[in-house]
Structures are given as structure tokens and as C-alpha cells.
């Protein structure tokens, strides 16, 4: 899906040399892509990054093996805390 959107952006940018309207449409598409499609992929990393001092390394640690059991527990507890908060703040948006 992302590849098609990026391809459409490139085509609109190429067509934009003849008409500035295509540049505007391409810019709008870039904004929507970054805002909605890319944000969904990195939501856990960006939400835990703003959480405080320990949230910075959580996005990279979820993709690799944890070095020991304690780091695994810290990461798991942090994720559970954010999931509970999400469910508490948005009860209508949680799948049951």
C-alpha cells in the first residue's frame, strides 16, 4: 500500500512541472501518508518515546532480543502500562 502511495506521489510530482495543482495534490498526499499511514506503523515507538526517561529505547528493543530477563520485564511492563492507559482513555476504540 505504501509503495503505491509513494509511486503516486512521484507521478504527481513529475506531472507538476506542467501544472502547479499536481504539486499541491502531491504535497497533500505526502501529508496524509505521513500523518495516517506511517503513524500507524510506529505508534508504539512514538507513544512510548514521549513517556519519559525510559521510553527512548523501547522501539528498538522490541525488534531485537533482550539481553536479560530484567530488560524483558521492563519492556513488557511498559507496554502493558501503555495498553491499559489506551484502553482507559479510549474504551470505544479497543477491540474486544
Amino acid at each position: 500500500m505504501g509503495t503505491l502511495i509513494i509511486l503516486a506521489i512521484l507521478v504527481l510530482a513529475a506531472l507538476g512541472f506542467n501544472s502547479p495543482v499536481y504539486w499541491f495534490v502531491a504535497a497533500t498526499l505526502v501529508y496524509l501518508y505521513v500523518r495516517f499511514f506511517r503513524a500507524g506503523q510506529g505508534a508504539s515507538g512514538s507513544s512510548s518515546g514521549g513517556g519519559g526517561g525510559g521510553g527512548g529505547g523501547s522501539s528498538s528493543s522490541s525488534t531485537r532480543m533482550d539481553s536479560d530477563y530484567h530488560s524483558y520485564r521492563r519492556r513488557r511492563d511498559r507496554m502493558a502500562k501503555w495498553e491499559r492507559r489506551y484502553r482507559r482513555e479510549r474504551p470505544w476504540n479497543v477491540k474486544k
Side-chain angles (χ1 to χ4, degrees), residues 2 7 17 31 34 37 41 59 61 63 67-68 81 85 92 94:
L7 182 65
F17 290 112
Y31 172 76
V34 169
F37 293 112
Q41 293 176 358
S59 63
S61 66
T63 58
S67 60
D68 61 348
K81 181 184 87 168
R85 180 178 176 187
W92 64 88
V94 177

Side-chain angles (χ1 to χ4, degrees), residues 21-49:
V21 174
Y22 289 124
W23 281 102
F24 179 75
V25 173
T28 305
L29 202 57
V30 167
Y31 172 76
L32 292 174
Y33 177 72
V34 169
R35 173 84 175 158
F36 295 109
F37 293 112
R38 295 294 290 180
Q41 293 176 358
S44 64
S46 63
S47 65
S48 63

